[in-house]
Structures are given as structure tokens and as C-alpha cells.
Amino acid sequence: MAKLVKAVFVRDPDKHQTVILRPGEEPEPRLAALVTAPEAWEDGELPAAALAEAPQADGKKEEPRDSGDTKPAAKKAAARPARGRKSADEGGS
């Protein structure tokens, strides 16, 4: 497996903690998959073993985006006027 040439901070998806991977280390594949910066690796590219175990960002299976049965977004209601006034120019100081 490839070694790191730079220190990298990653978020461990199992423990939900930040982990530091130091230069010269060979991180386990599940953590190596989280290091996406090519300049962090000694050969300049992500190791093949890490690519095979790369988790998706949300951990869910990806589904097609355009299913054709989507509804348009709801419209936001208009803002109500301030209490005690009926228009902006009303009221004095």
C-alpha cells in the first residue's frame, strides 16, 4: 500500500472522531479512501485498494436524480407587514 508524504486530518466515519494520518504511515484502506488529495500520497495518486473501499459521502446507495415524478418546489409566502403599521412610510419619529 502507498505511504503518505503529508500529514492529513480525516473524519473517521465509524468513530465520528478526527484522526491524524502522519507522513510515512500506511493508513488502513477505509481511512485511505478518505484522503482524496493526490499530493498527500508518495506516488501522487490514491492507492487502488483504497479506491475499492471508498465509501459514499452519505453511506447510502446512489439513485438516479431525474425520476420524472418530482414535484416543483414550494413557493415562499410573502412577508407580513410589521406590527402596528400598514405601510413603510407610516409612523414618525
Side-chain angles (χ1 to χ4, degrees), residues 30-89:
R30 66 183 188 87
L31 295 177
L34 300 173
V35 181
T36 58
E39 60 271 3
W41 297 100
E42 70 181 355
D43 59 354
E45 55 188 56
L46 189 64
L51 287 173
E53 294 194 22
Q56 291 188 358
D58 60 359
K60 296 180 182 178
K61 186 176 179 181
E62 188 174 329
E63 296 182 15
R65 291 182 172 220
D66 187 21
S67 61
D69 60 342
T70 59
K71 295 180 182 178
K75 293 183 180 180
K76 185 177 178 182
R80 294 174 38 193
R83 289 173 56 189
R85 291 190 193 177
K86 297 195 184 232
S87 68
D89 63 345

